Amino acid sequence: MTKDDIIKKNLDLHAEWMKYIFENPDVLDRIPKGAVLVILPEDDKELYEENYKILEENKKKGITVFVVTMKMPRLQVLNIEIIAA
């Protein structure tokens, strides 16, 4: 998995997390001040492992980690049509 793949997939996860937060703002109260958010995708082993490395690196530094486990978002495909005049 390339670095670009990791970034894109993590952005997709983050977007889903933000949707969840907007619908459940009380969850924000559970995040410790100064904690690092790490999202572990249940259905993408490669990305899970990459993100888990971030979790471990922060733990070793003594940084609190707030871990969210979720499934990768499924993107809807839109039907797009161009009609020339």
Side-chain angles (χ1 to χ4, degrees):
M1 180 180 306
T2 68
K3 188 173 183 175
D4 286 345
D5 291 335
I6 293 168
I7 291 169
K8 183 188 178 322
K9 287 183 175 188
N10 274 320
L11 286 172
D12 291 342
L13 284 173
H14 187 263
E16 283 300 307
W17 168 247
M18 293 303 295
K19 288 178 193 175
Y20 180 81
I21 288 299
F22 284 124
E23 295 171 7
N24 303 279
D26 55 305
V27 173
L28 292 173
D29 296 333
R30 297 177 52 199
I31 302 174
K33 186 176 181 174
V36 170
L37 170 67
V38 174
I39 303 174
L40 299 175
E42 297 173 340
D43 52 351
D44 187 326
K45 184 180 177 188
E46 244 184 310
L47 185 60
Y48 185 104
E49 291 171 359
E50 290 295 327
N51 288 356
Y52 196 84
K53 289 177 192 175
I54 302 300
L55 182 155
E56 288 295 323
E57 289 171 11
N58 281 283
K59 276 180 37 180
K60 286 179 185 175
K61 294 177 186 175
I63 299 170
T64 302
V65 181
F66 185 79
V67 180
V68 173
T69 305
M70 61 189 283
K71 292 187 179 190
M72 291 296 297
R74 302 287 181 231
L75 300 177
Q76 294 181 354
V77 177
L78 301 176
N79 290 323
I80 301 173
E81 186 177 346
I82 300 173
I83 301 173

